[in-house]
Amino acid sequence: MALQLGDVAPDFEQDSTGGHIRFHQWLGTSWAVLFSHPKDFTPVCTTELGYLARKKSEFDKRGVKVIGLSVDPVTDHEKWAQDIAETQGHAPNYPILADADRKVASLYGMIHPNASDTMTVRSVFVIDGAKKIRLMLTYPASTGRNFDELLRTIDSLQLTDQHKVATPVNWQRGDDVIIVPSLSDADAKARFPGGWKTLKPYLRIVPQP
Ligand code: BEZ
């Protein structure tokens, strides 16, 4: 069955540019982003991997490890890294799985045969500290992802875990948030002593904690 939100991210062992990885051991208790890209030496991927290297410190700040995947060998990843550095100004500073045998791609459903038999689609899995899948994205090969949006969603997920708030449409860091409906007014009083604005009993707005 396809992976779903809340599932434990499947464990695997695979080679990578950072050496042999045992995934659950590598995760430890950190959050992580596992993302696939279709192929090495392709243009959109080149821009994505360079940008992600530039933004890696933003993921670090949030306690989120980053790991890429394509169905190419380590030797190709390493050669391509030089092109990424040359054209994007940043070489990948995170491991990239060399999934030439498609073990991980199959486990995570990253190959969509009606899109391509040979390449992975652009999948993203956000995994929390308990190894649960918290977010999944699937983009086609021709569309580069927005990694700033990924940071925004991670901020939202982590705020929910820490403060029992949800984030409204187009929310950006610092904007007001919504008290989750499962929190009673009595419990909300303890968490938000400064109060909140009630637009409807189910729509309670509070400054971002
Ligand atoms: C790319 O990364 O540019 C790409 C990869 C596969 C198909 C189309 C574009």
Side-chain angles (χ1 to χ4, degrees):
M1 200 175 90
L3 290 173
Q4 297 185 326
L5 298 187
D7 290 353
V8 171
D11 196 15
F12 58 81
E13 287 191 32
Q14 187 55 286
D15 290 332
S16 82
T17 51
H20 192 74
I21 285 189
R22 291 194 174 99
F23 190 53
H24 278 193
Q25 192 180 74
W26 179 84
L27 285 172
T29 55
S30 290
W31 284 59
V33 168
L34 167 65
F35 71 101
S36 58
H37 52 271
K39 195 152 185 49
D40 291 3
F41 302 106
T42 49
V44 176
C45 301
T46 299
T47 63
E48 282 194 335
L49 270 65
Y51 188 77
L52 196 50
R54 178 148 81 83
K55 298 296 268 200
K56 166 102 172 358
S57 60
E58 290 297 322
F59 289 86
D60 293 342
K61 267 187 220 162
R62 291 160 174 82
V64 181
K65 294 181 173 180
V66 171
I67 186 164
L69 173 151
S70 71
V71 291
D72 294 301
V74 167
T75 46
D76 281 5
H77 290 349
E78 286 172 349
K79 266 188 240 144
W80 184 35
Q82 295 167 29
D83 292 357
I84 296 171
E86 182 188 323
T87 60
Q88 310 301 309
H90 297 268
N93 48 7
Y94 44 83
I96 304 174
L97 294 163
D99 198 41
D101 62 3
R102 302 178 181 194
K103 184 167 58 180
V104 182
S106 302
L107 196 58
Y108 278 78
M110 292 166 168
I111 294 178
H112 295 199
N114 291 328
S116 167
D117 275 341
T118 53
M119 299 185 296
T120 43
V121 292
R122 296 186 195 282
S123 297
V124 180
F125 293 86
V126 174
I127 299 164
D128 71 14
K131 302 183 177 56
K132 296 261 176 75
I133 297 172
R134 299 291 296 273
L135 179 141
M136 294 187 287
L137 290 174
T138 307
Y139 272 46
S142 52
T143 305
R145 287 158 288 199
N146 183 332
F147 288 115
D148 295 325
E149 166 64 3
L150 191 56
L151 287 166
R152 191 188 75 91
T153 59
I154 289 168
D155 284 342
S156 171
L157 286 166
Q158 294 188 339
L159 273 173
T160 303
D161 285 4
Q162 288 158 21
H163 300 290
K164 304 270 184 245
V165 293
T167 55
V169 60
N170 293 342
W171 173 84
Q172 295 291 338
R173 207 175 160 85
D175 290 352
D176 287 352
V177 295
I178 294 167
I179 300 172
V180 295
S182 59
L183 200 67
S184 67
D185 278 351
D187 289 341
K189 263 189 200 121
R191 279 191 176 266
F192 308 105
W196 59 84
K197 207 167 20 175
T198 302
L199 302 184
K200 291 284 175 189
Y202 56 82
L203 180 52
R204 297 168 295 175
I205 308 288
V206 71
Q208 182 193 312

